[in-house]
Amino acid sequence: MNRIINVFTENIFPDWEIDEVKCIEVTRRIMAFYLQELYDLSCLNGYNFESLTFDILFCDSRKTHQINKEYRQKDYPADIITFAIFADDEIKFVLDEDINLGEIILALDKVRDEAKKHNVKDEYELYFLIAHGILHLLGFDHRTEEDYNFVVGVQKKALEYAVR
């Protein structure tokens, strides 16, 4: 079943002009891959819906540090923070056949640093982290080494499928 994937982006980081149209296209392909490959294991299994919605905020590490302190009681900047509204709530709401999955927040300065560290293009690292955030929105975590290896492996497969 083809479902509508609504992705809303906002860039408040002035030093990286994201091609938001392309980013949304790639993000939709990543989500489509996950729906095809991981639906039965995700928090969506058993719910009837026609569309999924989530937001991506592009910011800097000062902002993720502030959010980490305020909402997660962690005193450090993060490259990515995910608020998985649907996956984490005990009561699951499907309104007008739409599921609001939550929000992914990315510190673009840290994305660039990680890209240099991993010797990949900035854009690839950006999509890698978006793929990671989407997995969290779908209820996947990586508290064990086995879970971490699964998450990273499926992210790489999603990027092979989505980044063209």
Side-chain angles (χ1 to χ4, degrees):
M1 169 186 223
N2 281 341
R3 294 190 167 101
I4 299 167
I5 301 168
N6 300 304
V7 181
F8 298 98
T9 60
E10 181 181 7
N11 186 0
I12 60 172
F13 184 72
D15 296 338
W16 186 347
E17 182 91 16
I18 300 275
D19 180 344
E20 292 184 59
V21 171
K22 180 180 178 188
C23 184
I24 289 169
E25 283 178 27
V26 171
T27 300
R28 284 181 175 144
R29 287 195 299 264
I30 292 167
M31 178 61 84
F33 176 83
Y34 289 156
L35 289 175
Q36 180 181 335
E37 299 295 318
L38 303 173
Y39 174 80
D40 290 344
L41 302 173
S42 77
C43 66
L44 302 173
N45 191 10
Y47 291 91
N48 293 321
F49 59 96
E50 287 186 12
S51 62
L52 298 171
T53 301
F54 60 98
D55 302 311
I56 303 174
L57 174 66
F58 303 109
C59 60
D60 63 16
S61 56
R62 285 189 308 259
K63 182 73 172 170
T64 62
H65 191 178
Q66 172 192 355
I67 292 167
N68 243 354
K69 281 177 80 170
E70 186 173 340
Y71 294 99
R72 301 177 70 222
Q73 291 71 50
K74 297 182 179 188
D75 192 12
Y76 60 86
D79 53 357
I80 183 170
I81 298 173
T82 306
F83 289 105
I85 295 170
F86 189 79
D88 291 347
D89 277 355
E90 288 185 30
I91 300 173
K92 311 273 192 232
F93 289 101
V94 181
L95 301 173
D96 296 326
E97 297 185 5
D98 178 73
I99 293 176
N100 184 337
L101 291 173
E103 183 172 22
I104 299 169
I105 302 166
L106 290 159
L108 294 181
D109 52 340
K110 291 190 72 65
V111 170
R112 281 187 168 152
D113 292 345
E114 289 296 307
K116 285 180 189 146
K117 189 167 98 178
H118 297 126
N119 199 28
V120 296
K121 292 182 179 181
D122 292 350
E123 191 175 71
Y124 181 86
E125 187 69 22
L126 174 68
Y127 295 142
F128 187 79
L129 288 172
I130 288 172
H132 185 84
I134 293 171
L135 284 171
H136 283 297
L137 293 180
L138 293 174
F140 294 92
D141 213 338
H142 47 79
R143 294 194 175 131
T144 68
E145 186 175 344
E146 182 181 351
D147 289 344
Y148 177 80
N149 291 336
F150 171 80
V151 165
V152 170
V154 77
Q155 277 176 247
K156 289 178 181 177
K157 288 179 186 174
L159 290 180
E160 288 172 13
Y161 173 83
V163 179
R164 303 176 186 145

